[in-house]
Amino acid sequence: LKELEKAQQLGVNSDSLKPHFVKALLLTREYQRVLNEVQSDPAASPKENASTQQMRADALMGLGKITEACDMYKSSIQLDPDLAPGYIGLGLCEFINGRTDTALQNVQQAIRLDPKNPDNWLALASFEKTLGKQEESLKAFDKAILIDKTNLDALSGRATILVALNRTDDAKANIEKLRALYPNHYLSKYLDSLIAFQSKDFPKARSLLESNLKIAPSHIDSLILLGSTYLESKDYELAKQ
């Protein structure tokens, strides 16, 4: 985000920076800032305004304003029926409302429109994982990695599925690849702790997770797993916290 802001100060065209800037704001959970700074422009083309509405919908979703977000995703697709991220958002809305078949149809539509975007395959992997379809999720993660061999979310997501499928050796190889690309990243440490937990080595899992949360104190998966580790160790008060 700082580098993008510096680029803007140095005179790089704001329009070319906009999608990257918004993505950075969303990743840092600056949702309100997205809403404040990204506005529709009456003079812009329908495609540009569709993209703007989709970005604002992502921010609304991040703030938990689901109904508003879903209405805006629909509006963005009406403006641009070929807007793949709009279908991903709409798929999430359908998923939240329990309409899993329609949710997957929307994600598949996004993939048809933009098959070379790893984010679309990651969305499919996420939905399949939530539905308990581990093998299908793994295939979607593999598709994302074929497009982008360094994709952090795809590599870590794939490793999580491999652990769930008890393919520990494959998972460890995946984690080593992740560690080589992103040394000391908290996701590598989290995945190591996941393997330790599954192997019932609770002291090791606990140590790894407590260390990891010093690096990434708000990583939800690490917090949940640490709670489970405390529970297994009968440290009920710590588990509750």
Side-chain angles (χ1 to χ4, degrees):
L1 189 57
K2 288 178 182 176
E3 292 299 321
L4 289 166
E5 286 170 341
K6 183 187 283 187
Q8 193 171 34
Q9 290 167 8
L10 292 170
V12 176
N13 183 279
S14 295
D15 290 340
S16 66
L17 288 175
K18 183 178 176 180
H20 307 293
F21 186 70
V22 171
K23 187 172 184 180
L25 288 174
L26 291 171
L27 286 169
T28 51
R29 300 182 183 181
E30 296 278 354
Y31 304 125
Q32 190 57 52
R33 191 172 164 191
V34 172
L35 295 175
N36 292 343
E37 298 185 17
V38 179
Q39 303 286 342
S40 296
D41 180 0
S45 69
K47 281 185 178 293
E48 289 173 321
N49 277 326
S51 181
T52 296
Q53 288 197 13
Q54 172 260 310
M55 292 173 187
R56 288 178 60 82
D58 286 345
L60 287 166
M61 187 65 78
L63 290 171
K65 298 181 179 180
I66 295 169
T67 302
E68 290 178 59
C70 294
D71 288 344
M72 196 161 284
Y73 284 128
K74 290 175 186 175
S75 177
S76 72
I77 291 170
Q78 288 171 354
L79 285 170
D80 180 8
D82 294 331
L83 183 67
Y87 288 97
I88 295 294
L90 201 55
L92 180 57
C93 293
E94 295 294 291
F95 200 84
I96 288 169
N97 288 308
R99 296 186 285 270
T100 54
D101 288 346
T102 313
L104 288 171
Q105 287 170 15
N106 277 288
V107 175
Q108 294 286 6
Q109 176 64 6
I111 290 171
R112 281 191 289 272
L113 289 167
D114 193 3
K116 292 184 179 179
N117 187 337
D119 289 344
N120 295 335
W121 290 103
L122 286 172
L124 178 60
S126 177
F127 285 162
E128 298 285 24
K129 179 184 175 183
T130 306
L131 291 170
K133 298 180 179 180
Q134 308 284 26
E135 292 290 353
E136 289 86 346
S137 179
L138 188 62
K139 289 175 185 176
F141 279 126
D142 286 341
K143 288 279 192 181
I145 291 168
L146 276 175
I147 298 165
D148 178 6
K149 291 180 173 58
T150 67
N151 190 292
L152 178 66
D153 292 331
L155 288 167
S156 61
R158 185 178 191 275
T160 304
I161 296 294
L162 290 170
V163 173
L165 293 171
N166 290 312
R167 291 168 55 182
T168 306
D169 289 342
D170 288 344
K172 286 180 178 177
N174 208 128
I175 294 165
E176 287 308 312
K177 189 182 294 183
L178 189 67
R179 208 185 323 271
L181 288 165
Y182 305 98
N184 301 316
H185 198 282
Y186 69 86
L187 281 176
S188 300
K189 296 177 187 294
Y190 165 72
L191 290 163
D192 286 335
S193 68
L194 193 60
I195 290 174
F197 183 88
Q198 185 161 299
S199 304
K200 299 189 184 304
D201 188 346
F202 301 123
K204 181 179 179 181
R206 176 174 179 161
S207 176
L208 285 167
L209 288 162
E210 287 176 342
S211 171
N212 205 28
L213 285 165
K214 291 176 182 176
I215 301 169
S218 60
H219 183 227
I220 297 295
D221 290 341
S222 288
L223 285 165
I224 292 170
L225 189 59
L226 182 57
S228 300
T229 304
Y230 287 147
L231 197 61
E232 291 290 344
S233 306
K234 295 183 169 45
D235 287 324
Y236 298 125
E237 190 56 38
L238 287 173
K240 182 179 176 182
Q241 290 172 21

